[in-house]
Amino acid sequence: MASYVAAIDQGTTSTRTMIFDHSGQVVASEQREHKQIFPKAGWVEHDAEEIWANTRATAAGALANADLTASEIAAVGITNQRETTLVWDRKTGKPVYNAIVWQDTRTDRIIEELGALGGGQERYRDKTGLPLATYFSGPKIKWILDNVEGARERAEKGDLLFGNMDTWLLWNMTGGVDGGIHVTDPTNASRTLLMDLDTLSWNPDIAADMGIPMSMLPEIRSSSETYATTRERGSLRGVPIAGILGDQQAATFGQACLSVGEAKNTYGTGNFVLLNTGTEKVMSQNGLLTTVCYKLGTKDPVFALEGSIAVTGSLVQWLRDNLKMIDSAAEIEEHARTVDSNGGAYIVPAFSGLFAPYWRSDARGALVGLTRYVNKGHLCRAVLEATAFQSREVIDAMNADSGVPLKSLKVDGGMVVNDLLMQFQADILGVPVIRPKVNETTALGAAYAAGLAVGFWAGEDDIRNNWAEDKRWEPNMDEARREREYRNWKKAVTKTFDWVTEED
């Protein structure tokens, strides 16, 4: 009897396969990093074939680590870095260009041209819930068709397919050129600037504006249903693939934020705060995104408000890899604890412009407030505090949009093992911060979506019952200091604006 569910978590820096039991506990895991490709300033790419190879390797490794066979896996779910855009040839299975990553800013000129057609940044928000921004997939598809030789002609003949990384993996896992299915779910489709939130279908008028043939776009199915079984050649051969959720929606699901008003913050490469708004589509007035949270089978879709922050964990990587100030990510807390404040220094990591709540692609990173007093410890602390300050900004926007102030914040992701960061997050928010016992909520959410579809879990109450608190941080910063530090942060953010001009 199948006693486990597997999840493939295809993230920005790595791919891993995780196996869970019925209580939501991790049974086995295998992970591999992939190359980060930076051809030019502001450009970020991935090798999609490397990612597919890593997916196969991690699936085999996780099964081996748990000493399991495919027959013991009830279903597999997929979760993925959203917005990262791939175009490939349906006949050869070869990408026509590297995957363009969600952080990439090369489509800035395309965004300006689309906005100039009327409506500016708000041109498609009523239909899609999104502002015009370099973040989303549609303009990236247009860039590939406009800049890769012969791509537009091949697309118009019906030879090219588009997908975020969920679709690429699903297509390959179900046979690729030999019968692979071309499917996505609404959580990923809602991040393209091409899907109508009311109908959960592609909008042909927006696709036409971007010059994207409709034949390129995958079929939109629900987030939890059996799409197909895996190909016979894979280590997961014959297992139903039954769940797809974009990574942040998967984390929301894994955190059991299944009721209206529940929110989580994932601390990964970037940070992403999602607030469940139920079946009501709340349009933000404060710089947030309206997105699909999940759609279970034939049930009505559940929506969310999202605050997307581009650079948080990747700022720690930058300190390690570019500046060589630390040898490992874990080391940053040790240095930050050598001081009791940031020494007046603030780092605003607008490496890819600023996402929520500003949506300023003209912004670039800034380090301000420097004096001779500032040392390595202060800079390490400023890096951690930048994550907490950015999270405060989007939660302030969320409180304003929802009209219901957040009473506590569930957290997950790689950075939540950092006690100093979590305490500062509670301090700067003024509400408790809560970490679950199973921190791998992104993979767990995808596993839940797949397991629900095949009856491995009976319903949403099973997911709620599996959730358990591990640690809680209570705020202990006085109000005057909290608001002074936040006011200085807001001042620092303004120094990043208008850095990239039309001449640049």
Side-chain angles (χ1 to χ4, degrees), residues 437-449:
K437 283 189 175 176
V438 178
N439 185 39
E440 307 297 348
T441 55
T442 302
L444 181 57
Y448 280 150

Side-chain angles (χ1 to χ4, degrees), residues 10 85 91 150 191 241 312 333 378 383 398 404 436 454 466:
Q10 202 299 290
T85 300
K91 295 176 181 175
R191 315 298 296 198
I241 306 174
T312 55
E333 184 174 6
H378 294 120
V383 164
M398 207 161 268
V404 182
V454 299
N466 278 351

